[in-house]
């Protein structure tokens, strides 16, 4: 199941935990747990953004949500890519 979640994240430009859950027939809470495991195992990196953003708001895709909703960005690590390649 870890590999399935990792593959879904890797194959998408943006994702929703609820959509991954529905696609894999697991709960959103389970998706969250699996993502946390993938981070701990160094297959996935989480970037919570910077509280002192240096990007001008006019060029930022998240300007409407700035300071109201933090945007988490997940990236598959090289270790994760190797795992996916060996499936």
């Amino acid at each position: 199941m870890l590999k399935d979640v990792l593959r879904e994240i890797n194959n998408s430009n943006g994702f929703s935990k609820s959509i991954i859950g529905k696609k894999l027939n697991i709960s959103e809470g389970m998706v969250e747990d699996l993502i946390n495991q993938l981070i701990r195992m160094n297959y996935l990196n989480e970037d919570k953004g910077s509280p002192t953003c240096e990007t001008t708001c006019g060029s930022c895709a998240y300007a409407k949500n700035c300071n109201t909703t933090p945007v988490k960005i997940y990236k598959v690590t090289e270790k994760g890519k190797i795992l996916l390649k060996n499936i």
Side-chain angles (χ1 to χ4, degrees), residues 18-36:
S18 62
I19 291 173
I20 289 176
K22 287 177 185 174
K23 192 169 185 177
L24 299 177
N25 199 28
I26 57 176
S27 71
E28 189 173 335
M30 176 64 84
V31 173
E32 177 75 29
D33 290 344
L34 292 169
I35 287 173
N36 288 332

Side-chain angles (χ1 to χ4, degrees), residues 52-64 66:
T52 57
C53 181
E54 295 180 15
T55 304
T56 57
C57 288
S59 64
C60 179
Y62 303 107
K64 292 180 183 177
C66 190

Side-chain angles (χ1 to χ4, degrees), residues 1 4 16 23 28 31 50-51 56-57 65 68-69 71 76 83:
M1 192 57 61
D4 295 330
S16 160
K23 192 169 185 177
E28 189 173 335
V31 173
S50 171
T56 57
C57 288
N65 296 326
T68 58
T69 306
V71 176
V76 177
L83 176 69

